Amino acid sequence: MEKITAVILAAGEGKRMISKLPKVLHTVCGRSLIDHVLSSVRPLCREVIVVIGHGAEQVRQAMGDTVHFAIQEEQLGTGHAVLQAAPLLPADGSVFVLCGDTPLLTADIMGRLLDVHKAHGAAATVLTAQVPNAAGYGRMVREPGGTLVKIVEEKDATDKEREIREINTGTYVFSAAALHETLRSLSSDNAQGEYYLTDCVELLICKGLTVASYCLDDYRVALGVNDRSQLSEASKLLRDRINHSHMEKGVTFTDPETTYVDINVSIGRDTVLLPNTIILGKTVIGEDCQIGPCSELTDCTVGNGVLIRYSTVNGSILEDGVSVGPFANIRPETILRQGVKIGDFVEIKKSDIGPGSKVPHLSYVGDAVIGSCVNMGAGTIVVNYDGRKKHVTKIEDGAFIGCNSNLVAPLRVGEGAFIAAGSTLTKDVPAGALSMSRSPQVTKEKMAGRFIDTQRNRES
Ligand code: UD1
Ligand code: CA
């Protein structure tokens, strides 16, 4: 394969974000802006160089050693930014140049841009778009016949040039040799006193070299994020793209407008997502599930035929046929094995619950290892924390925990044991035992009248 290098410009401050975080680290559908840009070039490139400046350390840390970095100490323009990467660029081959804030570009589009570049034997090829409102963008200036003359920045443009609707998206392919040569000749003699990368186009054309262009069918793909409104616009466009790609693979969205699915999520066919459902991180969902309404899953692995209603599930594994909710909170490191039923107002934390077991109502279960076919009665509380340390509770297969019991950890309830309702257990219960720890019931005949007026009670 030909040597292709990408340069991603990310040294700018992103002032309009009004943020402590460097602009390119803001996320859209679960991935930072710069990682979106990176994934649009990664499949086509051998090397990627990111030009950093503002917030350089944060960007460097976020990206790790997956790319090379060039530092631009002072932001003297896009041409100057690429110049900082020049020592890392090969002498020949092709070079993509992109901005770090255009999250909607895809590898497909970058591939087509490269094809156009090759087909024209061009020194440079510019990705352009016809936009309804070109304010703020560089305009593509052409001769009446359509031949490209130059790119003019809005601040340097004449009134006539400002009427042009074809804009420079800020995405290019250059022949490395042509780029090296023209970068050195850039000047900052313009309205902003900056070294414009866009001036390379005119310089190349003046040398008699070919500059081609590829105009996007859908201009929205070129959307650059400069402020929080554009961030939400990008999220909306990408969300739409993600949701439709799942629909194409057989997933039902009852209301795509209110369903938020991160880019790294995978969902099996015939699964139904109900309104107000949010699926985040690296969640994997199997087939024939029903998720929602009003549920949030983060970094979960969910099997087939799972039902989750009005609940949050985080960092957990749910095997086939599990049912959760309504109103359950499943916290990290939980495993709900095949057919487990978690009902309403139940919190589960870092617990392994065996096949067919049930925690149907009003319970807290933390740091527990529960076997198969265990029934946890309504209101059962696992007392896992003694104020200093968390302790483990083990409940073996087939045990029955009566309603409103407290299981004070560390504790083991043996196989098939039966715990009477209302017990507070502090000692292990052997297999097959009946255990009861509650005050005995005292009943005194005819004494109720001392406490209540029976007649009045009946009337009220
Ligand atoms: C640039 C283009 C313009 C195009 C627009 C598309 C130039 C001169 N103009 O304008 O034709 O329509 O993008 O969005 O290139 N950056 C640096 N160092 C710098 C300056 C910028 O790294 O010194 C980075 C920014 O972080 C950003 C990108 O380059 O990711 C674009 O910079 P920006 O200032 O937004 O360029 P525009 O003025 O929008
Ligand atoms: Ca910009």
Side-chain angles (χ1 to χ4, degrees):
M1 200 174 85
E2 197 218 335
K3 280 185 272 179
I4 303 180
T5 309
V7 179
I8 303 177
L9 307 184
E13 188 175 358
K15 263 196 205 113
R16 281 174 284 163
M17 293 298 283
I18 324 284
S19 179
K20 296 183 285 297
L21 194 67
K23 177 169 81 176
V24 294
L25 296 185
H26 282 261
T27 58
V28 163
C29 300
R31 187 183 275 171
S32 68
L33 296 176
I34 193 145
D35 277 339
H36 280 292
V37 175
L38 186 59
S39 56
S40 74
V41 289
R42 190 50 109 190
L44 302 165
C45 290
R46 287 224 316 221
E47 305 251 291
V48 178
I49 301 158
V50 179
V51 181
I52 51 177
H54 271 281
E57 264 326 292
Q58 267 172 288
V59 179
R60 194 196 285 271
Q61 280 201 351
M63 305 197 76
D65 52 14
T66 57
V67 295
H68 299 282
F69 294 99
I71 306 277
Q72 187 192 23
E73 302 283 357
E74 247 188 310
Q75 281 69 58
L76 303 177
T78 48
H80 181 258
V82 178
L83 196 59
Q84 310 313 301
L88 299 173
L89 290 174
D92 51 16
S94 301
V95 178
F96 283 128
V97 178
L98 311 88
C99 299
D101 61 1
T102 50
L104 297 163
L105 291 176
T106 61
D108 201 42
I109 288 165
M110 296 309 291
R112 270 181 271 159
L113 180 66
L114 188 63
D115 289 343
V116 171
H117 182 72
K118 295 271 168 62
H120 286 82
T125 303
V126 185
L127 185 67
T128 73
Q130 291 282 350
V131 298
N133 175 10
Y137 288 105
R139 312 293 210 278
M140 305 299 291
V141 180
R142 295 180 185 274
E143 283 172 2
T147 310
L148 185 61
V149 179
K150 62 175 178 178
I151 299 174
V152 65
E153 291 307 295
E154 174 153 285
K155 287 183 178 144
D156 302 283
T158 62
D159 288 347
K160 190 104 193 101
E161 286 167 341
R162 286 204 182 113
E163 283 168 19
I164 299 170
R165 291 283 159 272
E166 189 192 8
I167 58 112
N168 165 29
T169 65
T171 309
Y172 323 79
V173 197
F174 287 94
S175 105
L179 183 62
H180 280 294
E181 221 185 299
T182 46
L183 276 179
R184 273 187 263 120
S185 342
L186 289 178
S187 91
S188 58
D189 182 17
N190 53 52
Q192 304 186 76
E194 288 184 0
Y195 295 90
Y196 291 164
L197 179 62
T198 44
D199 285 350
C200 289
V201 166
E202 197 178 359
L203 290 171
L204 292 170
I205 292 170
C206 288
K207 281 192 180 147
L209 295 168
T210 306
V211 178
S213 65
Y214 169 51
C215 187
L216 286 167
D217 298 329
D218 179 359
Y219 70 92
R220 296 173 304 174
V221 171
L223 176 75
V225 173
N226 297 302
D227 57 31
R228 306 269 179 163
S229 297
Q230 287 169 330
L231 186 70
S232 79
E233 205 180 324
S235 293
K236 195 169 182 322
L237 290 166
L238 192 61
R239 176 169 13 121
D240 209 44
R241 192 191 280 171
I242 292 169
N243 288 357
H244 279 95
S245 85
H246 287 294
M247 290 185 232
E248 275 165 19
K249 292 180 204 139
V251 179
T252 294
F253 286 64
T254 312
D255 182 16
E257 287 292 310
T258 65
T259 308
Y260 301 76
V261 179
D262 271 356
I263 192 151
N264 286 324
V265 169
S266 92
I267 309 175
R269 64 179 176 173
D270 292 317
T271 282
V272 179
L273 302 184
L274 290 143
N276 294 313
T277 290
I278 304 172
I279 318 272
L280 303 175
K282 294 201 169 77
T283 296
V284 177
I285 298 174
E287 300 188 354
D288 303 307
C289 296
Q290 193 171 313
I291 318 280
C294 304
S295 295
E296 181 181 289
L297 276 64
T298 309
D299 296 325
C300 289
T301 303
V302 174
N304 300 323
V306 170
L307 179 68
I308 300 172
R309 291 184 299 150
Y310 298 96
S311 293
T312 64
V313 187
N314 189 356
S316 295
I317 299 170
L318 279 59
E319 293 185 355
D320 296 351
V322 162
S323 151
V324 171
F327 313 112
N329 182 18
I330 312 298
R331 293 170 50 197
E333 294 183 60
T334 291
I335 305 176
L336 304 179
R337 299 192 186 267
Q338 196 152 355
V340 162
K341 179 182 186 320
I342 305 297
D344 46 277
F345 306 105
V346 171
E347 176 178 343
I348 311 278
K349 176 233 154 186
K350 200 180 177 182
S351 295
D352 182 338
I353 304 190
S357 289
K358 293 178 180 163
V359 190
H361 339 265
L362 303 155
S363 283
Y364 170 68
V365 175
D367 303 301
V369 179
I370 298 178
S372 62
C373 300
V374 167
N375 190 79
M376 304 278 273
T380 297
I381 303 292
V382 169
V383 185
N384 61 326
Y385 185 47
D386 61 11
R388 287 202 197 115
K389 279 176 92 174
K390 305 275 166 71
H391 300 279
V392 171
T393 299
K394 286 198 169 136
I395 303 176
E396 294 178 354
D397 298 350
F400 182 96
I401 314 294
C403 289
N404 211 33
S405 297
N406 297 309
L407 309 176
V408 183
L411 187 78
R412 183 183 145 258
V413 176
E415 190 174 337
F418 188 103
I419 310 303
S423 295
T424 293
L425 298 185
T426 54
K427 297 192 195 93
D428 289 358
V429 178
L434 163 69
S435 185
M436 149 171 15
S437 80
R438 63 189 187 206
S439 24
Q441 183 169 343
V442 178
T443 304
K444 300 193 174 168
E445 297 274 345
K446 295 182 180 139
M447 273 205 33
R450 274 180 58 178
F451 301 95
I452 49 170
D453 180 339
T454 335
Q455 189 58 35
R456 208 182 63 202
N457 220 29
R458 230 175 263 143
E459 282 163 3
S460 64

